[in-house]
Amino acid sequence: MGGMTLRGIVVCLPEASIDDYIGVVEVLIQEGFTRFAMPASAEAFRDVAGIFGSRAQFGALRVTSSADVHRAADAGASFAFSDVADSDVADAADERQLDCWLSAMTPREVRSALQLSGRALLYPADVLGHAMAHRLDELGLIDEVVPLGGIGAYAAGEWLKAGAKAVGVDATLLGDAFDGGSLSMLRDRCNSFISLERRYVHDATD
């Protein structure tokens, strides 16, 4: 496995043009976010990672194959969020020294993902609800699980409070920022997420 461990909020970005990425990511970095995941298939991945790589960490989202892992690693990714729990994906990530979170929903699937890669991506987390965080904590599985999908600020705080080291957020933060929406409103939405990260992630590492 890779040597890094994600902490805090990971902003998961959609497919977009390079111009949209630059505008939105610049705002998010200015507001305090430093970890992002982009679709492995995004044509602008290499350019965005190159532009912002000295100020933020980038990983691959929607990974479904070993080819996706290699493509993302070549483009500058330092971690991978996989849509599948596949040994080929886990092996490729190990080869490229990327931490890889494999898709899971139930505690049994989480255990299987942890056996393959040591990490699990709980997706879609909004279907399960943040109460699952406390169940996974009771089972001793929360440490290497990253929840993703429809997570708002309150739920993100509940996951972090329960012991998750990182939480993926997407549309609840981004809103319509990639569809011509106001970047000033995006800035407004950032505050509740960043304040949670500062509260829980710093407490966990003090």
Side-chain angles (χ1 to χ4, degrees):
M1 313 300 166
M4 53 74 65
T5 298
L6 286 179
R7 285 197 176 276
I9 290 173
V10 183
V11 183
C12 296
L13 307 171
E15 290 265 8
S17 70
I18 181 65
D19 290 340
D20 284 339
Y21 278 130
I22 289 174
V24 174
V25 173
E26 177 62 38
V27 167
L28 291 168
I29 290 176
Q30 288 177 10
E31 294 303 312
F33 295 99
T34 58
R35 289 162 293 274
F36 300 90
M38 298 173 60
S41 59
E43 292 183 6
F45 198 122
R46 186 186 299 272
D47 290 336
V48 174
I51 291 167
F52 296 107
S54 64
R55 300 162 64 197
Q57 176 185 354
F58 288 86
L61 185 65
R62 306 270 85 92
V63 169
T64 60
S65 66
S66 58
D68 283 346
V69 173
H70 290 297
R71 186 182 308 112
D74 290 342
S78 60
F79 63 91
F81 286 166
S82 177
D83 281 352
V84 297
D86 188 295
S87 60
D88 288 343
V89 170
D91 290 344
D94 193 27
E95 178 186 341
R96 299 305 297 267
Q97 297 188 321
L98 299 188
D99 283 352
C100 182
W101 281 259
L102 300 178
S103 183
M105 280 190 72
T106 66
R108 177 179 293 181
E109 290 176 356
V110 167
R111 287 191 175 97
S112 295
L114 295 180
Q115 287 178 349
L116 285 173
S117 75
R119 298 167 178 87
L121 180 72
L122 202 72
Y123 180 83
D126 54 342
V127 172
L128 298 166
H130 59 263
M132 177 63 82
H134 304 286
R135 301 292 174 259
L136 292 175
D137 184 31
E138 290 172 356
L139 295 170
L141 300 173
I142 192 71
D143 282 1
E144 300 301 338
V145 171
V146 172
L148 167 63
I151 296 177
Y154 175 78
E158 292 298 296
W159 279 100
L160 293 170
K161 186 164 60 174
K165 293 176 183 173
V167 175
V169 301
D170 43 31
T172 54
L173 168 63
L174 297 172
D176 60 358
F178 281 99
D179 297 310
S182 164
L183 294 183
S184 64
M185 291 183 68
L186 173 62
R187 287 186 191 275
D188 291 342
R189 290 192 297 273
C190 288
N191 182 60
S192 58
F193 287 91
I194 284 294
S195 61
L196 283 170
E197 182 180 73
R198 288 173 178 159
R199 177 179 177 184
Y200 292 114
V201 177
H202 284 252
D203 286 349
T205 54
D206 282 346

